[in-house]
Amino acid sequence: MEKVFSATIVDRKEVAKDAYEAVFELDCENFDFTPGQYIWVVLPELKYPDDRGNRRAFSIVSSSKDKKNQIRCVFRKSGSGFKQTLIEMPIGSAVRIDGPFGFCTLPQEEAVPAVFLVGGVGIASVFTMVSYATMHKSSRQMILIYANSNPERTVYLDELKDLQRENKNLILVPHVGDLTPELIFNNTRGMVNPIWYIFGPEAMVLGVGEMLARNNIQLDKIETEEFRIVNTTFYKENREAIKTSDNFKKALDNAFNHIIVTDPEGVIVYANHGAEIITGYSIKEMLGNTPRLWGGLMTADFYSSLWKTIKKDLKVFEGEFMNRKKSGVIYFARSKISPFFNPKNNNLIGFVGAEEDITKEKEMEKLRTDFLSLASHQLRTPLSGTKWLIETLNQNILGPVTKKQKEYLDQIYQINERMIKLVFDMLNVLSLESSGAAARKEEVSMLRLYDEVTLMMEPAAKSKEVTLRNALRDHKEITIDTDIQMLRNILECFVSNAINYSSSGQEVVLDAEEEEAASIFSVRDSGIGIPREEQKLIFGRFYRASNAKMFKPEGTGLGLYIASMLTEKIGGEVSFESEEGKGSTFYLRIPKTVEKIA
Ligand code: ADP
């Protein structure tokens, strides 16, 4: 979360020749950031003029040993008015810190190795990443090649050496001089598919980036903080080559997608190789013909709506077609057909059609629905049967049940119930993912719906000695237009979680707020909360936070995933706020005018 903080300078020192470190203390308990991010430092006034103004971005330097509300920044004295002011400001002076910002961070997956190519004070972000990885005993393989023009200018070398001693997965390669391809590739030979991070002065970052690109390192594997490698000559040359030669046409000719161009009457004037593959007709056969060659299987209404869209309304048409290949085989295609115009007089001169074969997707979809209907019967029936049998045994109908036997029966019953819930949740997911259920709209009284939900969840709450409160009773009524069943399921998921992750004596509150453009429904608890590092994962399929697993071992990790899919269907948004040990509030925001309801 990006924020604005008041801060004071609490320390400042020269850490290498002409390199200064400033330590800022922020007016918060715990400054939360991801290693690799940066902040803006805003000075109240500049003692020396500076064209770039009174704010500057700095990478966050922090080690696991630093105080939680302090951050360090390191910078090279450059003669700029900003930096000179910062060097001379008395300790205790106030500054403003905005942040954290930036996405140049390590990937979640620890199996992905990282190569850091660093020049000079570019070490700031890397130092933080490496230090946190060491503290968290990360298994990530990391190589840090750290170049400086002379040893006196090297910052944090001792601390980095300490980290290397502590972390067997970290290799440190200090280097005096430029980063050459030999130096880089000789040292990284053992790394499998790493992410390459480049930090340092602009010229160095772009130079090294371009060198990696020329050595076939894909651009999506190269991370830099702010300088864009796509702007280097290498990529400019590439783009020019596409634009200025007939490479451009060659690219289209050989593209795998089916692309055709027609005149305003639909007569094909261009077709590419992809169109040959998909339809089975040769380019020669297609030219001069119309797409009826492989089309014509849809209803007359479908084609008239297509023509109206592209020719009368002059808009893009998107749709799924059933077509026939030259061989007679039927295939399904997703197409986009766009009109295009003469730039001189704006007259319609033709259409471009791009088609993608989705036959496989359709087959998979059918398999999935077949599986769904099969599974819902085959799995549910024996589970309901078991439930019934246990209930019968428990009623002593077949003779008295001993205390020990009853204990076992209760356990079997619970396991069976868990199985029923899991099957139900999984089928729900499958059906939602195959876009099965569509949302319907009706007017919903939220006061009533909250009452229904609390009544429904009351037994679960009682058994945990948790109180449920419908706070809407104290407000005015809210009504919204939405799918009541989906909304009920989302709220039940929130409330059920709130109960599950609360302790005896705590309260769960259902509340709502109205904004001009949306209604926001919330379920608040004071339970175990969600650890900060795991917060971004909890809407994922089967994900359960570590504290939740300990607090309540059983659970499917599917509830919130289903809730988020249902929310998407009704055109809403889910979010939450949570602090570990203090509680959580889950929000459902429904805009007042939902344009598209799935
Ligand atoms: P389940 O509750 O079956 O584990 P969910 O998908 O409903 O699955 O929730 C996923 C995870 O999100 C939970 O395991 C838990 O870690 C976390 N979570 C959800 N709601 C809460 C809450 N109210 N308080 C604390 N943690 C929660």
Side-chain angles (χ1 to χ4, degrees):
M1 209 158 278
E2 290 148 18
K3 284 207 185 120
V4 174
F5 298 90
S6 309
T8 41
I9 307 177
V10 289
D11 193 12
R12 184 183 47 226
K13 55 180 177 284
E14 196 170 355
V15 281
K17 189 159 177 355
D18 289 339
Y20 287 82
E21 180 188 86
V23 183
F24 302 101
E25 185 160 304
L26 283 66
D27 66 342
C28 62
E29 267 175 36
N30 190 353
F31 178 67
D32 193 25
F33 69 96
T34 309
Q37 287 191 300
Y38 65 90
I39 46 158
W40 285 94
V41 175
V42 186
L43 302 184
E45 57 186 325
L46 289 175
K47 194 165 165 197
Y48 305 97
D50 190 319
D51 288 345
R52 286 168 60 202
N54 66 336
R55 43 190 288 134
R56 205 59 44 98
F58 289 111
S59 300
I60 301 166
V61 184
S62 177
S63 85
S64 46
K65 296 186 191 98
D66 291 334
K67 281 200 197 157
K68 295 275 173 270
N69 64 342
Q70 286 192 352
I71 41 184
R72 293 187 268 162
C73 292
V74 63
F75 56 94
R76 191 81 78 195
K77 185 174 173 176
S78 64
S80 83
F82 180 96
K83 288 184 183 167
Q84 200 51 42
T85 308
L86 187 55
I87 292 171
E88 291 181 22
M89 277 169 84
I91 299 295
S93 301
V95 299
R96 198 181 92 198
I97 305 271
D98 297 353
F101 302 101
F103 302 100
C104 192
T105 52
L106 287 166
Q108 281 268 328
E109 186 52 69
E110 294 208 350
V112 180
V115 174
F116 302 106
L117 306 173
V118 181
V121 288
I123 194 66
S125 297
V126 178
F127 177 77
T128 313
M129 290 196 248
V130 168
S131 164
Y132 275 73
T134 307
M135 171 177 74
H136 288 123
K137 309 226 170 319
S138 159
S139 59
R140 189 188 312 281
Q141 255 190 300
M142 296 180 288
I143 291 191
L144 165 51
I145 307 182
Y146 181 20
N148 278 281
S149 55
N150 101 39
E152 281 175 31
R153 291 171 74 93
T154 311
V155 272
Y156 299 136
L157 192 58
D158 291 339
E159 284 166 277
L160 285 167
K161 282 183 181 159
D162 287 347
L163 288 173
Q164 186 184 16
R165 271 189 285 277
E166 208 178 312
N167 184 348
K168 64 175 184 346
N169 299 315
L170 169 68
I171 298 173
L172 177 65
V173 185
H175 175 74
V176 177
D178 286 342
L179 286 172
T180 60
E182 295 72 44
L183 174 74
I184 294 174
F185 293 118
N186 285 343
N187 278 292
T188 54
R189 225 174 264 139
M191 302 294 253
V192 183
N193 216 359
I195 307 263
W196 303 77
Y197 292 84
I198 320 172
F199 290 95
E202 181 167 2
M204 172 246 151
V205 173
L206 295 182
V208 173
E210 188 164 356
M211 188 276 289
L212 293 182
R214 283 185 200 279
N215 280 281
N216 291 328
I217 309 279
Q218 296 301 313
L219 205 58
D220 63 346
K221 298 275 177 224
I222 306 177
E223 293 278 354
T224 64
E225 207 162 32
E226 53 179 324
F227 312 121
R228 290 170 45 82
I229 294 169
V230 278
N231 290 337
T232 58
T233 353
F234 177 64
Y235 285 93
K236 282 192 187 140
E237 279 166 16
N238 255 0
R239 282 197 287 268
E240 278 314 303
I242 296 176
K243 269 197 269 172
T244 52
S245 65
D246 37 76
N247 284 347
F248 183 45
K249 187 165 167 300
K250 270 196 209 131
L252 274 187
D253 288 349
N254 294 315
F256 205 68
N257 310 58
H258 158 135
I259 300 167
I260 58 165
V261 179
T262 76
D263 73 0
E265 299 312 313
V267 175
I268 300 169
V269 292
Y270 170 84
N272 75 344
H273 183 52
E276 274 186 322
I277 298 176
I278 294 187
T279 66
Y281 290 98
S282 69
I283 293 178
K284 249 194 180 156
E285 284 171 308
M286 285 187 270
L287 295 182
N289 240 309
T290 71
R292 272 193 87 84
L293 200 55
W294 57 86
L297 301 183
M298 307 295 288
T299 62
D301 278 356
F302 181 89
Y303 291 114
S304 65
S305 125
L306 155 69
W307 279 109
K308 180 177 171 301
T309 313
I310 58 176
K311 212 168 164 178
K312 262 184 120 179
D313 305 343
L314 302 176
K315 292 203 168 122
V316 178
F317 179 87
E318 265 187 88
E320 283 183 12
F321 289 72
M322 180 163 79
N323 291 332
R324 184 187 287 118
K325 291 178 192 261
K326 190 176 174 187
S327 62
V329 170
I330 299 289
Y331 72 97
F332 294 90
R334 189 177 296 125
S335 301
K336 247 190 187 176
I337 306 169
S338 339
F340 69 99
F341 308 92
N342 185 336
K344 289 199 190 111
N345 52 19
N346 254 345
N347 285 346
L348 175 73
I349 49 175
F351 304 106
V352 182
E355 198 170 270
E356 183 191 359
D357 190 339
I358 54 165
T359 314
K360 280 233 162 62
E361 252 175 65
K362 287 259 171 208
E363 280 168 6
M364 291 300 291
E365 182 61 33
K366 179 153 184 333
L367 271 179
R368 205 181 167 97
T369 21
D370 288 354
F371 169 75
L372 263 180
S373 59
L374 185 85
S376 42
H377 282 101
Q378 302 293 346
L379 289 172
R380 275 191 223 183
T381 320
L383 290 169
S384 322
T386 314
K387 180 178 169 122
W388 182 79
L389 286 171
I390 304 167
E391 278 168 359
T392 313
L393 279 175
N394 238 341
Q395 283 158 9
N396 295 332
I397 295 175
L398 305 176
V401 178
T402 66
K403 210 170 145 222
K404 195 80 200 158
Q405 285 168 339
K406 184 161 176 2
E407 230 172 67
Y408 278 100
L409 279 175
D410 285 345
Q411 273 183 29
I412 301 172
Y413 187 85
Q414 287 311 329
I415 293 169
N416 193 59
E417 282 292 292
R418 252 166 33 212
M419 198 67 191
I420 291 175
K421 165 115 177 46
L422 182 64
V423 168
F424 180 81
D425 279 356
M426 280 173 38
L427 292 175
N428 226 333
V429 167
L430 282 170
S431 131
L432 282 168
E433 281 181 346
S434 14
S435 65
R440 277 184 292 226
K441 264 189 172 191
E442 67 183 275
E443 193 177 280
V444 181
S445 147
M446 288 310 295
L447 184 61
R448 188 156 350 125
L449 184 63
Y450 272 11
D451 274 343
E452 282 173 26
V453 171
T454 38
L455 192 70
M456 166 89 187
M457 307 303 292
E458 198 52 49
K462 269 225 170 82
S463 75
K464 283 208 66 177
E465 296 175 347
V466 168
T467 330
L468 293 182
R469 181 156 68 86
N470 174 357
L472 263 194
R473 299 216 145 275
D474 315 328
H475 303 311
K476 68 177 173 39
E477 163 72 314
I478 295 181
T479 50
I480 56 165
D481 265 347
T482 192
D483 187 306
I484 186 164
Q485 193 48 44
M486 292 191 178
L487 178 60
R488 181 182 292 134
N489 287 348
I490 302 167
L491 292 169
E492 278 175 9
C493 166
F494 287 178
V495 176
S496 144
N497 278 338
I499 297 171
N500 282 337
Y501 302 117
S502 290
S503 302
S504 151
Q506 289 179 332
E507 187 184 49
V508 169
V509 184
L510 288 80
D511 207 345
E513 228 178 82
E514 271 194 296
E515 285 179 356
E516 202 174 314
S519 307
I520 298 161
F521 305 102
S522 62
V523 175
R524 185 174 71 241
D525 65 62
S526 334
I528 60 171
I530 304 162
R532 196 172 287 274
E533 323 74 78
E534 296 183 72
Q535 291 191 350
K536 41 181 164 316
L537 303 171
I538 62 152
F539 286 105
R541 254 200 277 194
F542 296 114
Y543 193 84
R544 306 197 64 221
S546 43
N547 63 338
K549 281 194 255 182
M550 284 203 302
F551 190 77
K552 184 175 189 291
E554 66 276 14
T556 63
L558 285 174
L560 285 180
Y561 179 65
I562 295 174
S564 62
M565 273 198 290
L566 290 171
T567 305
E568 202 175 299
K569 289 215 175 252
I570 60 171
E573 266 169 47
V574 273
S575 61
F576 65 92
E577 285 171 345
S578 181
E579 198 173 331
E580 194 173 3
K582 295 217 167 128
S584 315
T585 308
F586 278 79
Y587 298 98
L588 170 65
R589 182 177 194 280
I590 303 184
K592 289 207 170 137
T593 46
V594 179
E595 276 180 12
K596 201 170 133 199
I597 203 158

